[in-house]
Amino acid sequence: VAPDDRASVEAGLRATLDSGRPFGLRHRLVRGDGEVRIFSSQAELVRDESGAPVRVVGTVQDVTDRVQTEAALRRSERNLAEAQRIARIGSWERDVATGALSWSEESHRIFGLEPGTFAGTLQAFLAYVHPDDRHKVAPGPTDLAAGDPGPIDYRIIRADGAVRFLHEEAVVIRDATGAPVRYVGTTQDITDRVAAEARQSRLARLLDEVTSEIYVFDAATLRFTEANAGALHNLG
């Protein structure tokens, strides 16, 4: 047993001897060639007919590969969650038959929820979607048969009353017969972009409506590239 794990292994075995409770512990072993491996040990106390303890019988299983795979998966999940947080893009999956939804942590944050608190149902999701946009996010059988839903933009109303604009990309996963099984997709909060585009549109409209002449020209060629409505009107 690896030196740092000897105390816990010994304590576990002694507890089994004293109480008769089964022993279960994950610990490291140093093999004869010096390689350190991770093992799962299980043991229980065997008694004779009078109830006196006779021996401890157990198993030892090498779980090194499984532990390393689990650790790599946890790192991958943490990295994905961090990447989604930075990019402000959430991921989700929806079962077509049941409507059950699973959200990433960032999807929760986009909807103003603490990670892990979403109910995970289609009805709970639709409750956040703006009433005028619900038809976009819940396609029917005919829509599913037509293929992937493609990108959509829609509004949600969060619990705090804030209206947010979301952009969604999704694909339909199908079984061997071509029947839709589940959706897999991403959700991105585009509220700031929508607001910026609206401000730009308002500014362009205001500039076009003023009676003053406004021109834009290329500094290299001195050719005019744009002129507002006021300039065109004044020039005839």
Side-chain angles (χ1 to χ4, degrees):
V1 178
D4 292 344
D5 294 347
R6 288 174 187 166
S8 59
V9 171
E10 183 176 3
L13 289 172
R14 287 188 180 278
T16 296
L17 291 172
D18 293 340
S19 67
R21 290 194 301 268
F23 166 84
L25 184 67
R26 181 176 290 183
H27 59 88
R28 292 164 295 173
L29 288 177
V30 183
R31 304 201 315 179
D33 59 5
E35 182 181 359
V36 178
R37 304 286 293 180
I38 302 172
F39 284 78
S40 176
S41 295
Q42 308 289 330
E44 61 182 31
L45 186 64
V46 178
R47 302 177 184 273
D48 61 17
E49 295 179 355
S50 67
V54 178
R55 62 186 179 275
V56 175
V57 178
T59 60
V60 179
Q61 181 183 11
D62 189 331
V63 295
T64 306
D65 294 340
R66 188 178 75 194
V67 170
Q68 291 175 346
T69 299
E70 291 170 350
L73 179 60
R74 287 193 295 270
R75 286 195 300 271
S76 178
E77 291 175 342
R78 286 196 300 269
N79 291 341
L80 177 59
E82 185 65 12
Q84 289 190 5
R85 186 189 65 78
I86 294 171
R88 296 183 179 179
I89 298 178
S91 61
W92 54 270
E93 185 172 319
R94 173 186 159 200
D95 185 277
V96 172
T98 65
L101 274 166
S102 59
W103 281 1
S104 68
E105 291 185 1
E106 188 58 25
S107 288
H108 281 78
R109 284 188 282 266
I110 288 173
F111 279 75
L113 301 173
E114 288 294 323
T117 60
F118 175 58
T121 66
L122 180 59
Q123 290 72 25
F125 162 63
L126 290 176
Y128 288 101
V129 179
H130 192 287
D132 294 340
D133 293 346
R134 287 174 185 166
H135 67 284
K136 297 181 180 180
V137 299
T142 303
D143 300 312
L144 285 173
D148 292 338
I152 59 171
D153 294 341
Y154 62 96
R155 292 162 294 173
I156 63 170
I157 304 175
R158 304 204 308 190
D160 59 4
V163 176
R164 308 293 293 181
F165 289 81
L166 306 186
H167 176 77
E168 185 175 285
E169 301 271 355
V171 295
V172 179
I173 307 300
R174 302 176 184 274
D175 62 18
T177 67
V181 177
R182 66 183 188 276
Y183 287 106
V184 176
T186 60
T187 302
Q188 182 178 20
D189 189 330
I190 59 169
T191 306
D192 293 342
R193 188 183 78 191
V194 170
E197 291 173 350
R199 287 194 298 270
Q200 185 177 9
S201 177
R202 287 196 299 270
L203 177 59
R205 188 169 62 252
L206 288 172
L207 291 176
D208 209 39
E209 289 175 352
V210 297
T211 57
S212 301
E213 299 176 19
I214 300 176
Y215 301 95
V216 178
F217 67 92
D218 189 294
T221 65
L222 299 185
R223 293 185 62 85
F224 289 91
T225 58
E226 293 183 54
N228 73 333
L232 298 179
H233 177 269
N234 292 344
L235 289 174

